[in-house]
PDB file of all heavy atoms in Angstrom:
ATOM      1  N   GLY L 752      25.816 126.742  98.599  1.00 97.00           N
ATOM      2  CA  GLY L 752      26.834 127.478  97.837  1.00 97.00           C
ATOM      3  C   GLY L 752      28.042 126.599  97.547  1.00 97.00           C
ATOM      4  O   GLY L 752      28.644 126.072  98.457  1.00 97.00           O
ATOM      5  N   ARG L 753      28.361 126.480  96.251  1.00 96.00           N
ATOM      6  CA  ARG L 753      29.546 125.723  95.861  1.00 96.00           C
ATOM      7  C   ARG L 753      30.532 126.677  95.169  1.00 96.00           C
ATOM      8  O   ARG L 753      30.525 127.872  95.385  1.00 96.00           O
ATOM      9  CB  ARG L 753      29.158 124.551  94.961  1.00 96.00           C
ATOM     10  CG  ARG L 753      28.363 123.486  95.650  1.00 96.00           C
ATOM     11  CD  ARG L 753      28.580 122.088  95.096  1.00 96.00           C
ATOM     12  NE  ARG L 753      28.466 122.011  93.634  1.00 96.00           N
ATOM     13  CZ  ARG L 753      28.592 120.883  92.947  1.00 96.00           C
ATOM     14  NH1 ARG L 753      28.831 119.762  93.573  1.00 96.00           N
ATOM     15  NH2 ARG L 753      28.494 120.863  91.628  1.00 96.00           N
ATOM     16  N   ASP L 754      31.343 126.115  94.281  1.00 96.00           N
ATOM     17  CA  ASP L 754      32.458 126.859  93.676  1.00 96.00           C
ATOM     18  C   ASP L 754      32.031 128.155  92.994  1.00 96.00           C
ATOM     19  O   ASP L 754      32.601 129.226  93.232  1.00 96.00           O
ATOM     20  CB  ASP L 754      33.185 125.975  92.670  1.00 96.00           C
ATOM     21  CG  ASP L 754      33.606 124.628  93.237  1.00 96.00           C
ATOM     22  OD1 ASP L 754      32.760 123.961  93.848  1.00 96.00           O
ATOM     23  OD2 ASP L 754      34.753 124.255  93.027  1.00 96.00           O
ATOM     24  N   LYS L 755      31.052 128.056  92.095  1.00 97.00           N
ATOM     25  CA  LYS L 755      30.711 129.234  91.272  1.00 97.00           C
ATOM     26  C   LYS L 755      30.099 130.365  92.088  1.00 97.00           C
ATOM     27  O   LYS L 755      30.401 131.538  91.862  1.00 97.00           O
ATOM     28  CB  LYS L 755      29.763 128.811  90.149  1.00 97.00           C
ATOM     29  CG  LYS L 755      30.443 127.962  89.083  1.00 97.00           C
ATOM     30  CD  LYS L 755      29.516 127.676  87.911  1.00 97.00           C
ATOM     31  CE  LYS L 755      30.242 126.858  86.851  1.00 97.00           C
ATOM     32  NZ  LYS L 755      29.361 126.539  85.688  1.00 97.00           N
ATOM     33  N   ILE L 756      29.261 130.033  93.053  1.00 97.00           N
ATOM     34  CA  ILE L 756      28.682 131.078  93.921  1.00 97.00           C
ATOM     35  C   ILE L 756      29.766 131.726  94.766  1.00 97.00           C
ATOM     36  O   ILE L 756      29.798 132.974  94.887  1.00 97.00           O
ATOM     37  CB  ILE L 756      27.577 130.473  94.824  1.00 97.00           C
ATOM     38  CG1 ILE L 756      26.279 130.319  94.062  1.00 97.00           C
ATOM     39  CG2 ILE L 756      27.374 131.337  96.077  1.00 97.00           C
ATOM     40  CD1 ILE L 756      25.590 131.654  93.682  1.00 97.00           C
ATOM     41  N   HIS L 757      30.676 130.967  95.315  1.00 98.00           N
ATOM     42  CA  HIS L 757      31.754 131.546  96.134  1.00 98.00           C
ATOM     43  C   HIS L 757      32.640 132.457  95.289  1.00 98.00           C
ATOM     44  O   HIS L 757      32.997 133.558  95.714  1.00 98.00           O
ATOM     45  CB  HIS L 757      32.593 130.420  96.770  1.00 98.00           C
ATOM     46  CG  HIS L 757      32.017 129.865  98.022  1.00 98.00           C
ATOM     47  ND1 HIS L 757      30.977 128.958  98.016  1.00 98.00           N
ATOM     48  CD2 HIS L 757      32.304 130.084  99.323  1.00 98.00           C
ATOM     49  CE1 HIS L 757      30.674 128.638  99.254  1.00 98.00           C
ATOM     50  NE2 HIS L 757      31.469 129.305 100.072  1.00 98.00           N
ATOM     51  N   LYS L 758      32.982 131.986  94.086  1.00 97.00           N
ATOM     52  CA  LYS L 758      33.824 132.780  93.192  1.00 97.00           C
ATOM     53  C   LYS L 758      33.117 134.094  92.829  1.00 97.00           C
ATOM     54  O   LYS L 758      33.724 135.181  92.816  1.00 97.00           O
ATOM     55  CB  LYS L 758      34.156 132.008  91.935  1.00 97.00           C
ATOM     56  CG  LYS L 758      35.055 132.726  90.971  1.00 97.00           C
ATOM     57  CD  LYS L 758      35.387 131.841  89.760  1.00 97.00           C
ATOM     58  CE  LYS L 758      36.312 132.587  88.800  1.00 97.00           C
ATOM     59  NZ  LYS L 758      36.627 131.749  87.595  1.00 97.00           N
ATOM     60  N   PHE L 759      31.813 134.000  92.560  1.00 97.00           N
ATOM     61  CA  PHE L 759      31.028 135.187  92.203  1.00 97.00           C
ATOM     62  C   PHE L 759      30.977 136.175  93.358  1.00 97.00           C
ATOM     63  O   PHE L 759      31.158 137.388  93.194  1.00 97.00           O
ATOM     64  CB  PHE L 759      29.602 134.765  91.807  1.00 97.00           C
ATOM     65  CG  PHE L 759      28.700 135.908  91.433  1.00 97.00           C
ATOM     66  CD1 PHE L 759      28.788 136.473  90.165  1.00 97.00           C
ATOM     67  CD2 PHE L 759      27.784 136.416  92.325  1.00 97.00           C
ATOM     68  CE1 PHE L 759      27.956 137.537  89.826  1.00 97.00           C
ATOM     69  CE2 PHE L 759      26.959 137.463  92.009  1.00 97.00           C
ATOM     70  CZ  PHE L 759      27.050 138.034  90.732  1.00 97.00           C
ATOM     71  N   LEU L 760      30.710 135.675  94.570  1.00 97.00           N
ATOM     72  CA  LEU L 760      30.618 136.571  95.723  1.00 97.00           C
ATOM     73  C   LEU L 760      31.932 137.289  95.999  1.00 97.00           C
ATOM     74  O   LEU L 760      31.916 138.485  96.408  1.00 97.00           O
ATOM     75  CB  LEU L 760      30.235 135.757  96.972  1.00 97.00           C
ATOM     76  CG  LEU L 760      28.800 135.199  97.013  1.00 97.00           C
ATOM     77  CD1 LEU L 760      28.607 134.312  98.240  1.00 97.00           C
ATOM     78  CD2 LEU L 760      27.759 136.315  97.006  1.00 97.00           C
ATOM     79  N   VAL L 761      33.051 136.634  95.784  1.00 97.00           N
ATOM     80  CA  VAL L 761      34.352 137.235  96.076  1.00 97.00           C
ATOM     81  C   VAL L 761      34.830 138.121  94.929  1.00 97.00           C
ATOM     82  O   VAL L 761      35.284 139.243  95.157  1.00 97.00           O
ATOM     83  CB  VAL L 761      35.404 136.125  96.363  1.00 97.00           C
ATOM     84  CG1 VAL L 761      36.811 136.722  96.455  1.00 97.00           C
ATOM     85  CG2 VAL L 761      35.052 135.419  97.665  1.00 97.00           C
ATOM     86  N   HIS L 762      34.716 137.664  93.695  1.00 96.00           N
ATOM     87  CA  HIS L 762      35.254 138.405  92.560  1.00 96.00           C
ATOM     88  C   HIS L 762      34.349 139.523  92.099  1.00 96.00           C
ATOM     89  O   HIS L 762      34.806 140.605  91.729  1.00 96.00           O
ATOM     90  CB  HIS L 762      35.537 137.453  91.404  1.00 96.00           C
ATOM     91  CG  HIS L 762      36.719 136.568  91.670  1.00 96.00           C
ATOM     92  ND1 HIS L 762      37.142 135.608  90.771  1.00 96.00           N
ATOM     93  CD2 HIS L 762      37.572 136.477  92.694  1.00 96.00           C
ATOM     94  CE1 HIS L 762      38.204 134.975  91.232  1.00 96.00           C
ATOM     95  NE2 HIS L 762      38.473 135.467  92.436  1.00 96.00           N
ATOM     96  N   GLU L 763      33.045 139.270  92.089  1.00 95.00           N
ATOM     97  CA  GLU L 763      32.087 140.298  91.616  1.00 95.00           C
ATOM     98  C   GLU L 763      31.575 141.199  92.732  1.00 95.00           C
ATOM     99  O   GLU L 763      31.110 142.292  92.457  1.00 95.00           O
ATOM    100  CB  GLU L 763      30.907 139.615  90.914  1.00 95.00           C
ATOM    101  CG  GLU L 763      31.313 138.732  89.750  1.00 95.00           C
ATOM    102  CD  GLU L 763      32.042 139.494  88.662  1.00 95.00           C
ATOM    103  OE1 GLU L 763      31.714 140.669  88.428  1.00 95.00           O
ATOM    104  OE2 GLU L 763      32.968 138.895  88.030  1.00 95.00           O
ATOM    105  N   ARG L 764      31.655 140.733  93.942  1.00 93.00           N
ATOM    106  CA  ARG L 764      31.226 141.494  95.110  1.00 93.00           C
ATOM    107  C   ARG L 764      29.844 142.180  94.916  1.00 93.00           C
ATOM    108  O   ARG L 764      29.741 143.413  94.923  1.00 93.00           O
ATOM    109  CB  ARG L 764      32.268 142.553  95.488  1.00 93.00           C
ATOM    110  CG  ARG L 764      33.539 141.937  96.044  1.00 93.00           C
ATOM    111  CD  ARG L 764      34.493 143.015  96.551  1.00 93.00           C
ATOM    112  NE  ARG L 764      35.649 142.425  97.143  1.00 93.00           N
ATOM    113  CZ  ARG L 764      35.761 142.033  98.402  1.00 93.00           C
ATOM    114  NH1 ARG L 764      34.695 142.156  99.183  1.00 93.00           N
ATOM    115  NH2 ARG L 764      36.849 141.486  98.880  1.00 93.00           N
ATOM    116  N   PRO L 765      28.808 141.408  94.693  1.00 92.00           N
ATOM    117  CA  PRO L 765      27.473 142.012  94.505  1.00 92.00           C
ATOM    118  C   PRO L 765      27.051 142.788  95.750  1.00 92.00           C
ATOM    119  O   PRO L 765      27.388 142.409  96.871  1.00 92.00           O
ATOM    120  CB  PRO L 765      26.571 140.801  94.250  1.00 92.00           C
ATOM    121  CG  PRO L 765      27.280 139.677  94.963  1.00 92.00           C
ATOM    122  CD  PRO L 765      28.753 139.941  94.747  1.00 92.00           C
ATOM    123  N   ASP L 766      26.314 143.865  95.519  1.00 88.00           N
ATOM    124  CA  ASP L 766      25.778 144.613  96.647  1.00 88.00           C
ATOM    125  C   ASP L 766      24.818 143.723  97.409  1.00 88.00           C
ATOM    126  O   ASP L 766      24.079 142.923  96.815  1.00 88.00           O
ATOM    127  CB  ASP L 766      25.019 145.869  96.124  1.00 88.00           C
ATOM    128  CG  ASP L 766      24.724 146.835  97.243  1.00 88.00           C
ATOM    129  OD1 ASP L 766      23.863 146.498  98.090  1.00 88.00           O
ATOM    130  OD2 ASP L 766      25.287 147.919  97.268  1.00 88.00           O
ATOM    131  N   LYS L 767      24.830 143.833  98.722  1.00 83.00           N
ATOM    132  CA  LYS L 767      24.009 142.957  99.547  1.00 83.00           C
ATOM    133  C   LYS L 767      22.516 143.090  99.207  1.00 83.00           C
ATOM    134  O   LYS L 767      21.773 142.132  99.315  1.00 83.00           O
ATOM    135  CB  LYS L 767      24.243 143.261 101.013  1.00 83.00           C
ATOM    136  CG  LYS L 767      25.659 142.884 101.495  1.00 83.00           C
ATOM    137  CD  LYS L 767      25.907 143.225 102.929  1.00 83.00           C
ATOM    138  CE  LYS L 767      27.338 142.888 103.320  1.00 83.00           C
ATOM    139  NZ  LYS L 767      27.644 143.260 104.725  1.00 83.00           N
ATOM    140  N   LYS L 768      22.112 144.285  98.741  1.00 87.00           N
ATOM    141  CA  LYS L 768      20.697 144.462  98.383  1.00 87.00           C
ATOM    142  C   LYS L 768      20.335 143.725  97.090  1.00 87.00           C
ATOM    143  O   LYS L 768      19.151 143.502  96.793  1.00 87.00           O
ATOM    144  CB  LYS L 768      20.344 145.954  98.252  1.00 87.00           C
ATOM    145  CG  LYS L 768      21.086 146.674  97.166  1.00 87.00           C
ATOM    146  CD  LYS L 768      20.620 148.145  97.113  1.00 87.00           C
ATOM    147  CE  LYS L 768      21.408 148.970  96.130  1.00 87.00           C
ATOM    148  NZ  LYS L 768      21.585 148.435  94.806  1.00 87.00           N
ATOM    149  N   ASP L 769      21.356 143.335  96.312  1.00 91.00           N
ATOM    150  CA  ASP L 769      21.106 142.602  95.074  1.00 91.00           C
ATOM    151  C   ASP L 769      21.043 141.089  95.321  1.00 91.00           C
ATOM    152  O   ASP L 769      20.704 140.319  94.390  1.00 91.00           O
ATOM    153  CB  ASP L 769      22.198 142.902  94.042  1.00 91.00           C
ATOM    154  CG  ASP L 769      22.165 144.369  93.590  1.00 91.00           C
ATOM    155  OD1 ASP L 769      21.064 144.919  93.524  1.00 91.00           O
ATOM    156  OD2 ASP L 769      23.247 144.918  93.326  1.00 91.00           O
ATOM    157  N   ILE L 770      21.385 140.653  96.531  1.00 93.00           N
ATOM    158  CA  ILE L 770      21.285 139.248  96.871  1.00 93.00           C
ATOM    159  C   ILE L 770      19.896 139.027  97.508  1.00 93.00           C
ATOM    160  O   ILE L 770      19.564 139.705  98.479  1.00 93.00           O
ATOM    161  CB  ILE L 770      22.392 138.831  97.886  1.00 93.00           C
ATOM    162  CG1 ILE L 770      23.774 139.125  97.282  1.00 93.00           C
ATOM    163  CG2 ILE L 770      22.261 137.364  98.261  1.00 93.00           C
ATOM    164  CD1 ILE L 770      24.914 138.886  98.253  1.00 93.00           C
ATOM    165  N   PRO L 771      19.093 138.147  96.955  1.00 93.00           N
ATOM    166  CA  PRO L 771      17.696 138.012  97.412  1.00 93.00           C
ATOM    167  C   PRO L 771      17.538 137.421  98.792  1.00 93.00           C
ATOM    168  O   PRO L 771      16.419 137.356  99.320  1.00 93.00           O
ATOM    169  CB  PRO L 771      17.060 137.121  96.335  1.00 93.00           C
ATOM    170  CG  PRO L 771      18.197 136.336  95.782  1.00 93.00           C
ATOM    171  CD  PRO L 771      19.394 137.245  95.825  1.00 93.00           C
ATOM    172  N   PHE L 772      18.632 136.909  99.373  1.00 92.00           N
ATOM    173  CA  PHE L 772      18.555 136.302 100.706  1.00 92.00           C
ATOM    174  C   PHE L 772      19.390 137.103 101.691  1.00 92.00           C
ATOM    175  O   PHE L 772      20.405 137.704 101.310  1.00 92.00           O
ATOM    176  CB  PHE L 772      19.092 134.849 100.697  1.00 92.00           C
ATOM    177  CG  PHE L 772      18.660 134.062  99.486  1.00 92.00           C
ATOM    178  CD1 PHE L 772      19.593 133.295  98.818  1.00 92.00           C
ATOM    179  CD2 PHE L 772      17.365 134.079  99.046  1.00 92.00           C
ATOM    180  CE1 PHE L 772      19.223 132.550  97.701  1.00 92.00           C
ATOM    181  CE2 PHE L 772      16.979 133.331  97.951  1.00 92.00           C
ATOM    182  CZ  PHE L 772      17.910 132.598  97.281  1.00 92.00           C
ATOM    183  N   GLU L 773      19.036 137.065 102.959  1.00 94.00           N
ATOM    184  CA  GLU L 773      19.833 137.677 104.008  1.00 94.00           C
ATOM    185  C   GLU L 773      20.893 136.649 104.435  1.00 94.00           C
ATOM    186  O   GLU L 773      20.604 135.600 104.950  1.00 94.00           O
ATOM    187  CB  GLU L 773      18.969 138.041 105.205  1.00 94.00           C
ATOM    188  CG  GLU L 773      19.743 138.601 106.398  1.00 94.00           C
ATOM    189  CD  GLU L 773      20.557 139.845 106.040  1.00 94.00           C
ATOM    190  OE1 GLU L 773      19.924 140.854 105.659  1.00 94.00           O
ATOM    191  OE2 GLU L 773      21.808 139.766 106.090  1.00 94.00           O
ATOM    192  N   LEU L 774      22.163 137.007 104.185  1.00 96.00           N
ATOM    193  CA  LEU L 774      23.263 136.121 104.522  1.00 96.00           C
ATOM    194  C   LEU L 774      23.827 136.352 105.905  1.00 96.00           C
ATOM    195  O   LEU L 774      24.417 135.436 106.500  1.00 96.00           O
ATOM    196  CB  LEU L 774      24.386 136.230 103.463  1.00 96.00           C
ATOM    197  CG  LEU L 774      23.995 135.852 102.021  1.00 96.00           C
ATOM    198  CD1 LEU L 774      25.228 135.968 101.126  1.00 96.00           C
ATOM    199  CD2 LEU L 774      23.430 134.454 101.964  1.00 96.00           C
ATOM    200  N   HIS L 775      23.685 137.552 106.429  1.00 96.00           N
ATOM    201  CA  HIS L 775      24.264 137.861 107.758  1.00 96.00           C
ATOM    202  C   HIS L 775      23.634 136.994 108.822  1.00 96.00           C
ATOM    203  O   HIS L 775      22.409 136.891 108.967  1.00 96.00           O
ATOM    204  CB  HIS L 775      24.029 139.337 108.102  1.00 96.00           C
ATOM    205  CG  HIS L 775      24.734 139.745 109.360  1.00 96.00           C
ATOM    206  ND1 HIS L 775      26.071 140.119 109.373  1.00 96.00           N
ATOM    207  CD2 HIS L 775      24.301 139.824 110.647  1.00 96.00           C
ATOM    208  CE1 HIS L 775      26.425 140.397 110.589  1.00 96.00           C
ATOM    209  NE2 HIS L 775      25.368 140.238 111.403  1.00 96.00           N
ATOM    210  N   GLY L 776      24.498 136.318 109.577  1.00 97.00           N
ATOM    211  CA  GLY L 776      24.029 135.399 110.608  1.00 97.00           C
ATOM    212  C   GLY L 776      23.625 134.027 110.071  1.00 97.00           C
ATOM    213  O   GLY L 776      23.157 133.182 110.823  1.00 97.00           O
ATOM    214  N   GLY L 777      23.799 133.850 108.750  1.00 97.00           N
ATOM    215  CA  GLY L 777      23.333 132.654 108.117  1.00 97.00           C
ATOM    216  C   GLY L 777      24.345 131.505 108.071  1.00 97.00           C
ATOM    217  O   GLY L 777      25.483 131.656 108.513  1.00 97.00           O
ATOM    218  N   ILE L 778      23.884 130.400 107.523  1.00 98.00           N
ATOM    219  CA  ILE L 778      24.712 129.213 107.330  1.00 98.00           C
ATOM    220  C   ILE L 778      24.753 128.893 105.849  1.00 98.00           C
ATOM    221  O   ILE L 778      23.716 128.814 105.201  1.00 98.00           O
ATOM    222  CB  ILE L 778      24.138 128.010 108.106  1.00 98.00           C
ATOM    223  CG1 ILE L 778      24.213 128.245 109.625  1.00 98.00           C
ATOM    224  CG2 ILE L 778      24.885 126.730 107.737  1.00 98.00           C
ATOM    225  CD1 ILE L 778      23.579 127.140 110.455  1.00 98.00           C
ATOM    226  N   ILE L 779      25.966 128.699 105.316  1.00 98.00           N
ATOM    227  CA  ILE L 779      26.141 128.226 103.950  1.00 98.00           C
ATOM    228  C   ILE L 779      26.409 126.736 103.972  1.00 98.00           C
ATOM    229  O   ILE L 779      27.295 126.267 104.692  1.00 98.00           O
ATOM    230  CB  ILE L 779      27.309 128.979 103.258  1.00 98.00           C
ATOM    231  CG1 ILE L 779      26.948 130.434 102.983  1.00 98.00           C
ATOM    232  CG2 ILE L 779      27.643 128.285 101.934  1.00 98.00           C
ATOM    233  CD1 ILE L 779      28.014 131.187 102.216  1.00 98.00           C
ATOM    234  N   TYR L 780      25.660 126.010 103.182  1.00 98.00           N
ATOM    235  CA  TYR L 780      25.824 124.560 103.029  1.00 98.00           C
ATOM    236  C   TYR L 780      26.559 124.269 101.740  1.00 98.00           C
ATOM    237  O   TYR L 780      26.079 124.585 100.642  1.00 98.00           O
ATOM    238  CB  TYR L 780      24.440 123.913 103.045  1.00 98.00           C
ATOM    239  CG  TYR L 780      24.460 122.388 102.989  1.00 98.00           C
ATOM    240  CD1 TYR L 780      25.576 121.623 103.281  1.00 98.00           C
ATOM    241  CD2 TYR L 780      23.279 121.721 102.611  1.00 98.00           C
ATOM    242  CE1 TYR L 780      25.551 120.260 103.247  1.00 98.00           C
ATOM    243  CE2 TYR L 780      23.258 120.325 102.551  1.00 98.00           C
ATOM    244  CZ  TYR L 780      24.398 119.595 102.860  1.00 98.00           C
ATOM    245  OH  TYR L 780      24.364 118.237 102.801  1.00 98.00           O
ATOM    246  N   HIS L 781      27.752 123.705 101.833  1.00 98.00           N
ATOM    247  CA  HIS L 781      28.501 123.286 100.652  1.00 98.00           C
ATOM    248  C   HIS L 781      27.823 122.077 100.046  1.00 98.00           C
ATOM    249  O   HIS L 781      28.042 120.934 100.466  1.00 98.00           O
ATOM    250  CB  HIS L 781      29.950 122.954 101.016  1.00 98.00           C
ATOM    251  CG  HIS L 781      30.713 124.132 101.508  1.00 98.00           C
ATOM    252  ND1 HIS L 781      31.877 124.014 102.239  1.00 98.00           N
ATOM    253  CD2 HIS L 781      30.493 125.468 101.361  1.00 98.00           C
ATOM    254  CE1 HIS L 781      32.345 125.222 102.534  1.00 98.00           C
ATOM    255  NE2 HIS L 781      31.533 126.127 102.009  1.00 98.00           N
ATOM    256  N   CYS L 782      26.945 122.313  99.101  1.00 97.00           N
ATOM    257  CA  CYS L 782      26.082 121.273  98.562  1.00 97.00           C
ATOM    258  C   CYS L 782      25.665 121.616  97.162  1.00 97.00           C
ATOM    259  O   CYS L 782      25.344 122.776  96.856  1.00 97.00           O
ATOM    260  CB  CYS L 782      24.852 121.144  99.472  1.00 97.00           C
ATOM    261  SG  CYS L 782      23.564 120.051  98.864  1.00 97.00           S
ATOM    262  N   GLY L 783      25.666 120.630  96.261  1.00 94.00           N
ATOM    263  CA  GLY L 783      25.094 120.745  94.940  1.00 94.00           C
ATOM    264  C   GLY L 783      23.829 119.912  94.878  1.00 94.00           C
ATOM    265  O   GLY L 783      23.887 118.758  94.442  1.00 94.00           O
ATOM    266  N   PRO L 784      22.711 120.433  95.332  1.00 95.00           N
ATOM    267  CA  PRO L 784      21.507 119.628  95.493  1.00 95.00           C
ATOM    268  C   PRO L 784      20.936 119.135  94.160  1.00 95.00           C
ATOM    269  O   PRO L 784      21.102 119.778  93.106  1.00 95.00           O
ATOM    270  CB  PRO L 784      20.536 120.580  96.165  1.00 95.00           C
ATOM    271  CG  PRO L 784      20.977 121.950  95.706  1.00 95.00           C
ATOM    272  CD  PRO L 784      22.485 121.855  95.630  1.00 95.00           C
ATOM    273  N   ILE L 785      20.289 117.971  94.217  1.00 94.00           N
ATOM    274  CA  ILE L 785      19.502 117.496  93.077  1.00 94.00           C
ATOM    275  C   ILE L 785      18.060 117.932  93.335  1.00 94.00           C
ATOM    276  O   ILE L 785      17.466 117.544  94.327  1.00 94.00           O
ATOM    277  CB  ILE L 785      19.603 115.970  92.959  1.00 94.00           C
ATOM    278  CG1 ILE L 785      21.038 115.546  92.666  1.00 94.00           C
ATOM    279  CG2 ILE L 785      18.677 115.469  91.823  1.00 94.00           C
ATOM    280  CD1 ILE L 785      21.251 114.059  92.664  1.00 94.00           C
ATOM    281  N   ILE L 786      17.572 118.793  92.449  1.00 92.00           N
ATOM    282  CA  ILE L 786      16.270 119.397  92.636  1.00 92.00           C
ATOM    283  C   ILE L 786      15.449 119.246  91.363  1.00 92.00           C
ATOM    284  O   ILE L 786      15.941 119.487  90.261  1.00 92.00           O
ATOM    285  CB  ILE L 786      16.386 120.888  93.028  1.00 92.00           C
ATOM    286  CG1 ILE L 786      17.057 121.016  94.409  1.00 92.00           C
ATOM    287  CG2 ILE L 786      15.020 121.577  93.015  1.00 92.00           C
ATOM    288  CD1 ILE L 786      17.244 122.445  94.877  1.00 92.00           C
ATOM    289  N   LYS L 787      14.205 118.840  91.496  1.00 90.00           N
ATOM    290  CA  LYS L 787      13.277 118.741  90.355  1.00 90.00           C
ATOM    291  C   LYS L 787      12.192 119.783  90.471  1.00 90.00           C
ATOM    292  O   LYS L 787      11.726 120.096  91.567  1.00 90.00           O
ATOM    293  CB  LYS L 787      12.641 117.325  90.321  1.00 90.00           C
ATOM    294  CG  LYS L 787      13.578 116.224  89.830  1.00 90.00           C
ATOM    295  CD  LYS L 787      12.815 114.921  89.679  1.00 90.00           C
ATOM    296  CE  LYS L 787      13.708 113.825  89.123  1.00 90.00           C
ATOM    297  NZ  LYS L 787      12.951 112.543  88.937  1.00 90.00           N
ATOM    298  N   LYS L 788      11.786 120.286  89.313  1.00 87.00           N
ATOM    299  CA  LYS L 788      10.667 121.234  89.287  1.00 87.00           C
ATOM    300  C   LYS L 788       9.435 120.489  88.863  1.00 87.00           C
ATOM    301  O   LYS L 788       9.346 119.942  87.755  1.00 87.00           O
ATOM    302  CB  LYS L 788      10.963 122.373  88.337  1.00 87.00           C
ATOM    303  CG  LYS L 788       9.996 123.530  88.434  1.00 87.00           C
ATOM    304  CD  LYS L 788      10.410 124.704  87.544  1.00 87.00           C
ATOM    305  CE  LYS L 788       9.489 125.893  87.731  1.00 87.00           C
ATOM    306  NZ  LYS L 788       9.877 127.025  86.862  1.00 87.00           N
ATOM    307  N   ILE L 789       8.468 120.407  89.768  1.00 84.00           N
ATOM    308  CA  ILE L 789       7.233 119.679  89.515  1.00 84.00           C
ATOM    309  C   ILE L 789       6.067 120.637  89.744  1.00 84.00           C
ATOM    310  O   ILE L 789       5.853 121.155  90.846  1.00 84.00           O
ATOM    311  CB  ILE L 789       7.094 118.454  90.446  1.00 84.00           C
ATOM    312  CG1 ILE L 789       8.327 117.540  90.314  1.00 84.00           C
ATOM    313  CG2 ILE L 789       5.810 117.707  90.177  1.00 84.00           C
ATOM    314  CD1 ILE L 789       8.363 116.418  91.309  1.00 84.00           C
TER     315      ILE L 789
END
């Protein structure tokens, strides 16, 4: 999670059921990964 995700979570406050991952008890990595689709 970087800037845009954090801003979205705070400003838009999506319902937890609309987030496809369970965040409770989780770890957020401040990272903009380089990912390829193969």
Side-chain angles (χ1 to χ4, degrees):
R753 293 209 312 181
D754 308 48
K755 290 184 178 180
I756 279 291
H757 278 77
K758 182 178 180 180
F759 180 80
L760 290 174
V761 171
H762 289 178
E763 302 301 325
R764 292 186 176 274
D766 193 291
K767 293 177 183 178
K768 64 178 174 48
D769 294 326
I770 302 174
F772 319 134
E773 177 57 63
L774 298 183
H775 187 83
I778 295 176
I779 290 184
Y780 183 18
H781 295 161
C782 172
I785 297 175
I786 294 179
K787 286 187 177 181
K788 191 175 184 180
I789 304 173

